[in-house]
Amino acid sequence: MTTATETDTGTLRDLLTAPGPFVSVYFEREVRPQQVQAAESRWRGLAGRLAEEGADRATLDALTERVLESLPGTGVLAVFASAGKVRHAVELSGVRRDGGDLAMKGPLPHLLPLLEWRQDHPARVVAVVDRAGADLQLYAEGSTEPVKRTVDGPDDEIVRSPGQPQMRFQHRAEDSWEHNAAVAAEAVGEALGEVSAHLLLLAGDVRARQYLTKHLPTRVQKDVRTGQVSGSRTEDGSDAERAAQVAAEAARFGRERTTELLRRLVEERAPGGTAVEGVRETVGALAAGRMGTLIVTDDPRDSRMAWFGEAPTEVYERLEDHVPNGSGPVVSAPLADVAVRSALLTGADVRVLDHDTPDAPAVGIGGICRF
């Protein structure tokens, strides 16, 4: 079992290749201690409905244990289980489900709400700097808990000794600050690459931030958006405020990425462009392994189905499109789940939109192809 505060693409691929059928649960945990009994009753009602729909007892028992041990809590608990095991559990902080709890059984895990949450938690690095070095926080995509590191520069002449001439000290100190910032900048560049982040948030001493920005690798200055949050390396009680600012900046960056993707989609709709829209065109691009970014709307009213086989590119709009060739049977599942599985297993990105998003693909599904 994986219990995580992050949900990277590798983890999702492992989940998608686990044996099904799956039970997917999004359970609201915003309950106070005195409300735990009511929450437990709410879960047992969901479990009873899943049993009526054919979920096996071992899988429901594993889910029940995981859900109940999480109470009381905050946010939404996303849990995916099959064959008597919890395959992945993620605590989705900072959200509430407008439509209430969601629990469903199917051939594939239902990942759309999880992927939509993950979009507000892009990979990012936070660097809190001073004239001696930096404290780094590395967030992988879909992570709410960072990996923490400390970087100290090689120079320690950052304060003036008694009797030292002011001008001489100033020049030597400035050199030391810049040397230390250069070391920190290199570490920041490595950290951004490690988690594949395109968002860097800086806090701390103004002069140290300036030097660090100056020495960031060229690829970072070109491809990474740099922002600012509050706080310093000293114990000044700013951690909670900075964490809230980091979460807000990450969500804003995620929305900007969606806006940019939709702008590209509009451009690629032109003759000769690489956009595809509609079920048949999108399924065809997935089957050909051409999809670069799948764009799909999360609409609870969507009842469309598709078919899939064992290979990631075995996807079909209709059963009659499948030509048996000895590769194994095909199974029907919700269209969006089939498309997401194929995209993630073939290395494509996935972007989930609200069903009423302007400029969304026609009939709620499409994408931008690699070629």
Side-chain angles (χ1 to χ4, degrees):
M1 181 186 76
T2 302
T3 303
T5 54
E6 65 181 69
T7 178
D8 57 55
T9 301
T11 299
L12 296 182
R13 288 172 181 161
D14 290 342
L15 174 62
L16 287 165
T17 55
F22 293 86
V23 176
S24 303
V25 173
Y26 294 86
F27 190 74
E28 174 65 64
R29 300 191 308 154
E30 288 285 352
V31 296
R32 295 186 293 273
Q34 59 268 34
Q35 297 174 314
V36 168
Q37 187 172 358
E40 291 177 350
S41 177
R42 181 160 46 92
W43 164 251
R44 295 192 188 282
L46 290 174
R49 178 173 63 78
L50 288 167
E52 293 174 357
E53 294 174 359
D56 66 275
R57 175 51 52 189
T59 297
L60 289 177
D61 287 346
L63 280 167
T64 296
E65 180 180 358
R66 181 62 186 88
V67 169
L68 296 186
E69 75 180 9
S70 76
L71 298 173
T74 59
V76 170
L77 181 69
V79 195
F80 308 92
S82 70
K85 297 180 180 180
V86 171
R87 304 289 178 177
H88 189 49
V90 190
E91 298 172 359
L92 309 185
S93 61
V95 295
R96 301 194 67 162
R97 283 193 53 80
D98 294 337
D101 301 321
L102 174 64
M104 55 193 299
K105 174 180 174 292
L108 295 173
H110 181 59
L111 299 179
L112 291 187
L114 172 58
L115 291 171
E116 191 168 12
W117 174 86
R118 190 174 76 157
Q119 292 166 187
D120 286 339
H121 297 78
R124 59 218 180 268
V125 171
V126 181
V128 187
V129 301
D130 63 12
R131 301 176 185 190
D135 294 328
L136 306 183
Q137 298 176 350
L138 289 68
Y139 292 85
E141 185 172 21
S143 173
T144 58
E145 294 293 332
V147 173
K148 298 181 179 180
R149 291 180 187 159
T150 296
V151 181
D152 290 317
D155 292 358
D156 58 6
E157 189 166 354
I158 57 175
V159 296
R160 185 160 66 99
S161 301
Q164 186 177 16
Q166 176 65 31
M167 186 61 68
R168 179 183 176 188
F169 157 73
Q170 188 65 33
H171 287 310
R172 296 187 65 174
E174 290 277 351
D175 287 343
S176 295
W177 301 340
E178 186 161 7
H179 292 162
N180 293 342
V183 172
E186 183 178 0
V188 167
E190 293 174 353
L192 288 163
E194 185 174 330
V195 294
S196 300
H198 292 273
L199 176 62
L200 170 63
L201 298 173
L202 300 178
D205 181 270
V206 174
R207 190 64 171 153
R209 292 202 312 265
Q210 292 172 343
Y211 278 134
L212 183 139
T213 302
K214 172 184 175 182
H215 287 282
L216 285 172
T218 301
R219 60 177 176 79
V220 173
Q221 297 186 32
K222 179 181 178 182
D223 298 330
V224 174
R225 199 192 86 178
T226 301
Q228 182 179 333
V229 291
S230 64
S232 67
R233 293 186 79 188
T234 60
E235 294 292 335
D236 57 4
S238 63
D239 288 0
E241 181 180 357
R242 181 167 61 245
Q245 292 175 0
V246 169
E249 289 295 323
R252 180 185 306 170
F253 183 65
R255 292 190 295 270
E256 290 174 355
R257 292 176 71 181
T258 297
T259 299
E260 173 62 21
L261 179 63
L262 291 175
R263 185 192 65 77
R264 284 188 56 210
L265 179 66
V266 171
E267 292 178 351
E268 294 297 335
R269 284 172 171 148
T274 59
V276 293
E277 295 184 277
V279 178
R280 178 163 292 275
E281 293 77 5
T282 303
V283 169
L286 290 167
R290 298 193 298 117
M291 187 65 72
T293 301
L294 172 71
I295 306 173
V296 60
T297 57
D298 186 4
D299 187 349
R301 301 166 298 179
D302 188 359
S303 60
R304 294 174 295 181
M305 304 292 283
W307 297 79
F308 72 98
E310 182 177 354
T313 53
E314 284 188 85
V315 289
Y316 309 96
E317 181 186 7
R318 303 170 304 176
L319 178 59
E320 51 265 37
D321 295 334
H322 171 243
V323 178
N325 56 8
S327 60
V330 293
V331 180
S332 65
L335 169 66
D337 294 340
V338 171
V340 165
R341 173 186 181 269
S342 177
L344 291 177
L345 293 182
T346 56
D349 294 328
V350 177
R351 206 73 180 171
V352 181
L353 309 177
D354 292 334
H355 69 275
D356 56 354
T357 301
D359 294 323
V363 300
I365 191 167
I368 300 175
C369 294
R370 289 188 281 255
F371 55 90

